[in-house]
Amino acid sequence: YDVSPDRKWPAGGTQRRAGWSSHLTAYCRGRPLSATSGASSIANSKAEAEGTALFAATAPGGALENVVGRQRMDAVRGLIDASPAGHVAALHVPELPYEVLDDLGGAVGTREEHEGRVARHEE
């Protein structure tokens, strides 16, 4: 997902403070799934605006539930409730370039060389 916070200036210039508003876009395989704005009120900080947008999108009946389905969101909420930290996160690791894989293969060696090193460590 991508949370894009924007600096919002007060309408009419009557207020002295500006705030933040966030826009959340969820992606699946590089294509946007859904988008939602944060709460209608302007948040005081960037982090608060981002949190509000994430909370609005993932709340029961939120935009993300409409895309992935209630069962899937209930399963994710179950994981969150069971988590000691009270949250979960996905890890995305981009594919390695072929040059890196070639270098890694050269460093590890052949299967026989690898098995020989493992056998020596087991002794």
Side-chain angles (χ1 to χ4, degrees), residues 16-102:
R16 298 181 130 198
R17 293 177 55 176
W20 291 88
S21 174
S22 282
H23 183 77
L24 176 105
T25 305
Y27 295 90
C28 179
R29 297 183 180 152
R31 295 194 174 142
L33 289 177
S34 66
T36 183
S37 294
S40 58
S41 63
I42 295 175
N44 292 326
S45 69
K46 181 179 173 182
E48 184 182 353
E50 290 172 347
T52 302
L54 286 169
F55 184 75
T58 57
L64 197 56
E65 185 174 288
N66 293 334
V67 174
V68 300
R70 186 175 183 168
Q71 270 188 316
R72 187 69 175 153
M73 287 303 295
D74 287 344
V76 171
R77 286 187 196 103
L79 289 172
I80 292 169
D81 292 341
S83 169
H87 67 274
V88 294
L91 174 63
H92 174 74
V93 178
E95 294 180 19
L96 293 173
Y98 287 114
E99 295 83 19
V100 173
L101 294 175
D102 290 341

Side-chain angles (χ1 to χ4, degrees), residues 3 6-7 10 15 22 24 30-31 39 60 81-82 89 94 108-110 121:
V3 182
D6 295 318
R7 192 76 158 143
Q15 297 175 346
S22 282
L24 176 105
R31 295 194 174 142
D81 292 341
V108 171
T110 65
H121 286 293

